[in-house]
């Protein structure tokens, strides 16, 4: 079997110039083979940048386009191809966007291998250790604290026993944050796990410590990204002094970067995103390091059904893969791109036993939102 094309697909729900808070864009790859098998992957990143990293003509031996690197290769050689992509894109890669693009391709290669061998991806990863995974619901709180009552009631009705809020105005005004949390905790009750996501908004250690202590009464499940991931000392001091668990790492990539993060920042929880950290292959290595440092892995996931399918396969195969993020986005790309998505039942998702990612894409939706761009195109 040989790879005959790597198709880089940028989807965007108009309009440009606005931030995509709820998944209004997406980046997919389809890896085509000469046997007709097609692998699907995605990355939750900047689509135009990733498309360029895949389609760029090669410059020199360490600045090659990922598509060129893969053409003619055997897609079953996943580890060899991962290393080849990493090595031959290393001048513009090693971290960040190039690893995001490699993540999408890696997921597609696992999809191909699993279809080829006719067994689920979790079997290729060493075997399934659970049939269901508890999900936590992530939501952006309404600006007006009282408006969150209905929102939280809806999440409880969906069966969630674990929630996380972040974004919107949250983290910008301590008094407002307190009011929002009061409404959410009162509505959810004491038996629901409740986490918060600061998206780096707490500036420095002293400020974060003060805010975290003020929120003690809400019994938070974890405090996510209170400080930038590169503020290792601040994060470590927080992890050592905070009563709540500290989490982070959704923007990091490669086991090398995660190893540094874990060793320097000592988070209680790391949150690699399978579509950014280097794909299923690198996620396995990151998990191995996390277990050596008493760190829990709860993956980040806030995109389409492709990410969800890949994350479920990975979590099904690890002993402590007990919690998955479940986006509450209402974007068409989140809800409809995959026509047979993994669904939530009583706050849990069921692990599929079909070969491959087991998903089908809505090709009409892809045609409708596809952004045609070649190198040099100005939008
Ligand atoms: Mg987050």
């Amino acid at each position: 079997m040989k790879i005959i094309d790597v198709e880089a697909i940028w989807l965007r729900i108009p309009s440009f110039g606005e931030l995509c808070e709820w998944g209004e864009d997406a980046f997919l790859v389809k890896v085509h083979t000469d046997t007709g098998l097609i692998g699907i992957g995605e990355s939750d990143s900047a689509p135009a940048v990733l498309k360029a990293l895949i389609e760029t003509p090669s410059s020199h031996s360490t600045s090659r386009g990922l598509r060129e690197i893969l053409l003619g290769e055997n897609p079953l050689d996943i580890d060899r191809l991962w290393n080849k992509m990493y090595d031959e894109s290393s001048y513009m890669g090693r971290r960040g966007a190039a690893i995001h693009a490699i993540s999408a391709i890696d997921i597609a290669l696992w999809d191909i291998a699993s279809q080829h061998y006719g067994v689920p991806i979790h079997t290729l990863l060493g075997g399934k250790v659970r049939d269901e995974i508890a999900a936590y619901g992530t939501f952006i709180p309404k600006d007006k604290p009282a408006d969150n009552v209905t929102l939280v009631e809806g999440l409880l009705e969906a069966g969630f026993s674990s929630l996380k809020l972040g974004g919107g105005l949250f983290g910008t005004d301590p008094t407002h944050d307190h009011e929002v949390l009061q409404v959410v905790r009162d509505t959810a009750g004491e038996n629901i796990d409740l986490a918060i996501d600061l998206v780096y908004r707490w500036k420095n250690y002293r400020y974060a410590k003060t805010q975290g202590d003020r929120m003690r009464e809400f019994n938070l499940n974890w405090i996510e990204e209170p400080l930038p991931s590169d503020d290792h000392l601040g994060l470590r001091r927080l992890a050592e002094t905070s009563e709540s668990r500290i989490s982070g790492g959704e923007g990091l990539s490669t086991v090398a970067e995660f190893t540094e993060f874990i060793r320097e920042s000592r988070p209680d929880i790391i949150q690699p995103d399978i579509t950014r950290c280097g794909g299923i292959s690198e996620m396995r290595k990151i998990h191995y390091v996390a277990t050596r440092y008493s760190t829990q892995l709860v993956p980040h996931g806030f995109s389409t059904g492709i990410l969800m399918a890949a994350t479920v396969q990975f979590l099904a195969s690890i002993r402590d893969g007990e919690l998955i993020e479940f986006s509450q986005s209402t974007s068409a790309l989140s809800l409809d791109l995959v026509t047979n998505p993994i669904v939530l039942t009583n706050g849990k998702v069921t692990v599929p036993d079909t070969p491959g990612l087991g998903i089908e894409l809505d090709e009409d939706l892809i045609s409708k939102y596809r952004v045609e761009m070649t190198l040099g195109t100005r939008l």
Side-chain angles (χ1 to χ4, degrees), residues 164 197 199 224-225 250 300:
K164 182 178 85 185
D197 186 353
V199 202
E224 180 168 323
E225 294 199 321
E250 67 183 62
H300 176 264

mmCIF file with all atom_site columns, all heavy atoms in Angstrom, residues 164 197 199 224-225 250 300, ligand 1:
data_model
loop_
_atom_site.group_PDB
_atom_site.id
_atom_site.type_symbol
_atom_site.label_atom_id
_atom_site.label_alt_id
_atom_site.label_comp_id
_atom_site.label_asym_id
_atom_site.label_entity_id
_atom_site.label_seq_id
_atom_site.pdbx_PDB_ins_code
_atom_site.Cartn_x
_atom_site.Cartn_y
_atom_site.Cartn_z
_atom_site.occupancy
_atom_site.B_iso_or_equiv
_atom_site.pdbx_formal_charge
_atom_site.auth_seq_id
_atom_site.auth_comp_id
_atom_site.auth_asym_id
_atom_site.auth_atom_id
_atom_site.pdbx_PDB_model_num
ATOM   1  N  N   . LYS A 1 164 ? -17.269 22.094 33.387 1.00 0.00 ? 164 LYS A N   1
ATOM   2  C  CA  . LYS A 1 164 ? -16.179 23.073 33.404 1.00 0.00 ? 164 LYS A CA  1
ATOM   3  C  C   . LYS A 1 164 ? -16.664 24.325 32.704 1.00 0.00 ? 164 LYS A C   1
ATOM   4  O  O   . LYS A 1 164 ? -17.311 24.229 31.661 1.00 0.00 ? 164 LYS A O   1
ATOM   5  C  CB  . LYS A 1 164 ? -14.942 22.530 32.680 1.00 0.00 ? 164 LYS A CB  1
ATOM   6  C  CG  . LYS A 1 164 ? -13.749 23.489 32.716 1.00 0.00 ? 164 LYS A CG  1
ATOM   7  C  CD  . LYS A 1 164 ? -12.541 22.874 32.029 1.00 0.00 ? 164 LYS A CD  1
ATOM   8  C  CE  . LYS A 1 164 ? -12.577 23.096 30.541 1.00 0.00 ? 164 LYS A CE  1
ATOM   9  N  NZ  . LYS A 1 164 ? -11.479 22.404 29.847 1.00 0.00 ? 164 LYS A NZ  1
ATOM   10 N  N   . ASP A 1 197 ? -11.736 27.295 33.900 1.00 0.00 ? 197 ASP A N   1
ATOM   11 C  CA  . ASP A 1 197 ? -10.660 27.474 32.929 1.00 0.00 ? 197 ASP A CA  1
ATOM   12 C  C   . ASP A 1 197 ? -10.376 28.962 32.807 1.00 0.00 ? 197 ASP A C   1
ATOM   13 O  O   . ASP A 1 197 ? -11.262 29.740 32.448 1.00 0.00 ? 197 ASP A O   1
ATOM   14 C  CB  . ASP A 1 197 ? -11.109 26.891 31.575 1.00 0.00 ? 197 ASP A CB  1
ATOM   15 C  CG  . ASP A 1 197 ? -9.994  26.896 30.536 1.00 0.00 ? 197 ASP A CG  1
ATOM   16 O  OD1 . ASP A 1 197 ? -8.913  27.469 30.818 1.00 0.00 ? 197 ASP A OD1 1
ATOM   17 O  OD2 . ASP A 1 197 ? -10.205 26.332 29.457 1.00 0.00 ? 197 ASP A OD2 1
ATOM   18 N  N   . VAL A 1 199 ? -7.791  30.318 30.960 1.00 0.00 ? 199 VAL A N   1
ATOM   19 C  CA  . VAL A 1 199 ? -7.164  30.674 29.675 1.00 0.00 ? 199 VAL A CA  1
ATOM   20 C  C   . VAL A 1 199 ? -6.084  31.747 29.896 1.00 0.00 ? 199 VAL A C   1
ATOM   21 O  O   . VAL A 1 199 ? -6.040  32.766 29.203 1.00 0.00 ? 199 VAL A O   1
ATOM   22 C  CB  . VAL A 1 199 ? -8.203  31.129 28.629 1.00 0.00 ? 199 VAL A CB  1
ATOM   23 C  CG1 . VAL A 1 199 ? -7.665  30.974 27.220 1.00 0.00 ? 199 VAL A CG1 1
ATOM   24 C  CG2 . VAL A 1 199 ? -9.508  30.338 28.747 1.00 0.00 ? 199 VAL A CG2 1
ATOM   25 N  N   . GLU A 1 224 ? -7.856  25.415 35.642 1.00 0.00 ? 224 GLU A N   1
ATOM   26 C  CA  . GLU A 1 224 ? -7.153  25.161 34.378 1.00 0.00 ? 224 GLU A CA  1
ATOM   27 C  C   . GLU A 1 224 ? -6.466  26.418 33.856 1.00 0.00 ? 224 GLU A C   1
ATOM   28 O  O   . GLU A 1 224 ? -7.068  27.491 33.830 1.00 0.00 ? 224 GLU A O   1
ATOM   29 C  CB  . GLU A 1 224 ? -8.180  24.659 33.358 1.00 0.00 ? 224 GLU A CB  1
ATOM   30 C  CG  . GLU A 1 224 ? -7.617  24.355 31.983 1.00 0.00 ? 224 GLU A CG  1
ATOM   31 C  CD  . GLU A 1 224 ? -8.643  23.602 31.138 1.00 0.00 ? 224 GLU A CD  1
ATOM   32 O  OE1 . GLU A 1 224 ? -9.384  22.753 31.688 1.00 0.00 ? 224 GLU A OE1 1
ATOM   33 O  OE2 . GLU A 1 224 ? -8.716  23.863 29.926 1.00 0.00 ? 224 GLU A OE2 1
ATOM   34 N  N   . GLU A 1 225 ? -5.237  26.267 33.431 1.00 0.00 ? 225 GLU A N   1
ATOM   35 C  CA  . GLU A 1 225 ? -4.440  27.338 32.834 1.00 0.00 ? 225 GLU A CA  1
ATOM   36 C  C   . GLU A 1 225 ? -4.598  28.680 33.542 1.00 0.00 ? 225 GLU A C   1
ATOM   37 O  O   . GLU A 1 225 ? -4.938  29.688 32.915 1.00 0.00 ? 225 GLU A O   1
ATOM   38 C  CB  . GLU A 1 225 ? -4.763  27.474 31.339 1.00 0.00 ? 225 GLU A CB  1
ATOM   39 C  CG  . GLU A 1 225 ? -4.330  26.245 30.560 1.00 0.00 ? 225 GLU A CG  1
ATOM   40 C  CD  . GLU A 1 225 ? -4.191  26.479 29.057 1.00 0.00 ? 225 GLU A CD  1
ATOM   41 O  OE1 . GLU A 1 225 ? -5.035  27.206 28.494 1.00 0.00 ? 225 GLU A OE1 1
ATOM   42 O  OE2 . GLU A 1 225 ? -3.245  25.935 28.466 1.00 0.00 ? 225 GLU A OE2 1
ATOM   43 N  N   . GLU A 1 250 ? -2.957  22.380 27.090 1.00 0.00 ? 250 GLU A N   1
ATOM   44 C  CA  . GLU A 1 250 ? -3.703  22.086 25.860 1.00 0.00 ? 250 GLU A CA  1
ATOM   45 C  C   . GLU A 1 250 ? -3.019  22.645 24.618 1.00 0.00 ? 250 GLU A C   1
ATOM   46 O  O   . GLU A 1 250 ? -3.270  22.183 23.516 1.00 0.00 ? 250 GLU A O   1
ATOM   47 C  CB  . GLU A 1 250 ? -5.136  22.623 25.964 1.00 0.00 ? 250 GLU A CB  1
ATOM   48 C  CG  . GLU A 1 250 ? -5.233  24.139 25.997 1.00 0.00 ? 250 GLU A CG  1
ATOM   49 C  CD  . GLU A 1 250 ? -6.678  24.621 26.168 1.00 0.00 ? 250 GLU A CD  1
ATOM   50 O  OE1 . GLU A 1 250 ? -7.275  24.311 27.204 1.00 0.00 ? 250 GLU A OE1 1
ATOM   51 O  OE2 . GLU A 1 250 ? -7.190  25.292 25.259 1.00 0.00 ? 250 GLU A OE2 1
ATOM   52 N  N   . HIS A 1 300 ? -7.585  17.521 26.316 1.00 0.00 ? 300 HIS A N   1
ATOM   53 C  CA  . HIS A 1 300 ? -8.376  18.645 25.831 1.00 0.00 ? 300 HIS A CA  1
ATOM   54 C  C   . HIS A 1 300 ? -9.107  18.209 24.569 1.00 0.00 ? 300 HIS A C   1
ATOM   55 O  O   . HIS A 1 300 ? -8.587  17.428 23.776 1.00 0.00 ? 300 HIS A O   1
ATOM   56 C  CB  . HIS A 1 300 ? -7.444  19.823 25.503 1.00 0.00 ? 300 HIS A CB  1
ATOM   57 C  CG  . HIS A 1 300 ? -8.153  20.998 24.900 1.00 0.00 ? 300 HIS A CG  1
ATOM   58 N  ND1 . HIS A 1 300 ? -8.219  21.212 23.547 1.00 0.00 ? 300 HIS A ND1 1
ATOM   59 C  CD2 . HIS A 1 300 ? -8.838  22.013 25.487 1.00 0.00 ? 300 HIS A CD2 1
ATOM   60 C  CE1 . HIS A 1 300 ? -8.911  22.327 23.322 1.00 0.00 ? 300 HIS A CE1 1
ATOM   61 N  NE2 . HIS A 1 300 ? -9.290  22.833 24.475 1.00 0.00 ? 300 HIS A NE2 1
HETATM 62 MG MG1 . LIG B 2 .   ? -8.781  25.128 28.368 1.00 0.00 ? 1   LIG B MG1 1
#
